[in-house]
Amino acid sequence: MKRTLVAATIGAAAAALGPGDVARAQPEPPSAAEKATARELVKTGRKKLGRGDIDGALADLTAADELMGVPSTGVELGKAQARAGMLVEALDTVLAVGRIPRRRYEPAAFVRARAEAEATARDLSDRVPSVRIRLSGTARDGAEVTVDGKPLAPELIGVAYKLNPGAHEVVARNGRAVARAQITVDEGEAREASLVLDLPPPDAAPPASARTWTPHPLVWVGVGLSGAGLLAGTVTGALALDRNATVAPQCPDRVCPPETFDDLREARTLGDTSTAMFVVAGVGAAITVVALFLPYDDESEDEAARGATLAVGLTGAAIRFGF
């Protein structure tokens, strides 16, 4: 009665699934072409591994194992991954070989591959390094941790987390709190990465910046005028005195002969110019004093003041403003 019921149940399930679904439920064995391709990939993968072409060997052996999924291809791929430093992946691959269902009459190659996979798994278990991540600080609760950019499950924080040999970056985040650690592990090494995760202090108001006083450009115009006026006034005054000293001996009782008139005119011109230059110097000094009290923003300079120039000659002076 029970057998009849079981048979009826299986038959009903098969009828509900349909013949196509039942066929898909059973993995199809590889075809002869796939077997031949896999055998060739294993051969080329071994050769590439022997001459140091790790990437090429991994590509060939991965393709072979995906085609066949048998112990012999699995153990070959695991050995290549171990050679590449991918110890975590290699251990997973050889352990997966042990989970492949055993056939009643397995080829000798499969039996040898299973034994080799078991031995390789024992060796890799001792070689795979680990890092124990520990969090502390006020923001450690609820923090998200990543290892080399990949999220780490919360339950793995504080336990020995298996990694491949080499350098790794551990980052913990919780809102504005961020902590980082760079850690390097060698084969068989067990290390700890301690991260202190504290929330940064609240943003404080920036201190009022002490503004440096910048003089108005007219200050420099005034200083320039004063300096130029003093210099020109001093020079022209000295020249006027020199001309007068030259003519004075020729003018007894202050009566000068006609031949001295040109020298007298030149001396008078120089004297007038000297007086004018000293006036310019006084104007420059006044501009300087006034400009010291003018408000000024150094980001909007007075282009006219910046372009002011002073032209001085023996017969006069002029101020020009550039626009």
Side-chain angles (χ1 to χ4, degrees), residues 133-155:
I133 299 170
R134 299 191 183 277
L135 299 182
S136 61
T138 57
R140 68 172 183 258
D141 294 335
E144 296 178 354
V145 179
T146 60
V147 178
D148 298 331
K150 298 179 180 179
L152 184 69
E155 55 269 18

Side-chain angles (χ1 to χ4, degrees), residues 121-245:
R122 288 193 297 270
D123 175 61
L124 290 174
S125 296
D126 297 331
R127 292 171 56 191
V128 177
S130 64
V131 173
R132 193 182 303 271
I133 299 170
R134 299 191 183 277
L135 299 182
S136 61
T138 57
R140 68 172 183 258
D141 294 335
E144 296 178 354
V145 179
T146 60
V147 178
D148 298 331
K150 298 179 180 179
L152 184 69
E155 55 269 18
L156 294 179
I157 298 174
V159 302
Y161 183 63
K162 297 296 184 178
L163 291 170
N164 287 321
H168 301 278
E169 182 184 43
V170 183
V171 180
R173 299 178 187 272
N174 191 353
R176 295 186 300 121
V178 180
R180 301 175 184 273
Q182 299 286 341
I183 190 166
T184 301
V185 289
D186 296 325
E187 287 191 12
E189 188 177 15
R191 297 193 60 185
E192 287 191 358
S194 299
L195 289 82
V196 180
L197 201 61
D198 287 322
L199 285 172
D203 295 334
S209 58
R211 183 170 180 176
T212 304
W213 177 76
T214 303
H216 196 283
L218 285 177
V219 170
W220 307 117
V221 174
V223 171
L225 286 175
S226 298
L230 286 173
L231 178 61
T234 301
V235 171
T236 54
L239 291 174
L241 291 175
D242 182 68
R243 290 288 185 277
N244 285 326

Side-chain angles (χ1 to χ4, degrees), residues 58 61 65 69-83 86-102 110-128:
L58 283 173
L61 295 173
D65 192 50
V70 294
S72 55
T73 56
V75 75
E76 292 291 343
L77 176 59
K79 291 190 294 185
Q81 290 171 330
R83 280 281 301 275
M86 302 164 59
L87 302 188
V88 175
E89 293 80 1
L91 180 59
D92 183 63
T93 299
V94 295
L95 288 175
V97 170
R99 293 192 294 270
I100 297 175
R102 294 178 182 269
F110 287 8
V111 176
R112 290 194 301 269
R114 288 183 187 277
E116 188 174 3
E118 291 177 4
T120 304
R122 288 193 297 270
D123 175 61
L124 290 174
S125 296
D126 297 331
R127 292 171 56 191
V128 177

Side-chain angles (χ1 to χ4, degrees), residues 271-320:
D272 293 342
T273 301
S274 177
T275 301
M277 291 298 98
F278 284 121
V279 171
V280 170
V283 172
I287 292 175
T288 301
V289 173
V290 173
L292 287 174
F293 298 95
L294 291 178
Y296 172 61
D297 184 359
D298 58 359
E299 293 183 358
S300 57
E301 293 186 0
D302 185 351
E303 296 295 335
R306 289 176 60 193
T309 57
L310 174 68
V312 180
L314 293 178
T315 59
I319 302 174
R320 294 195 295 270

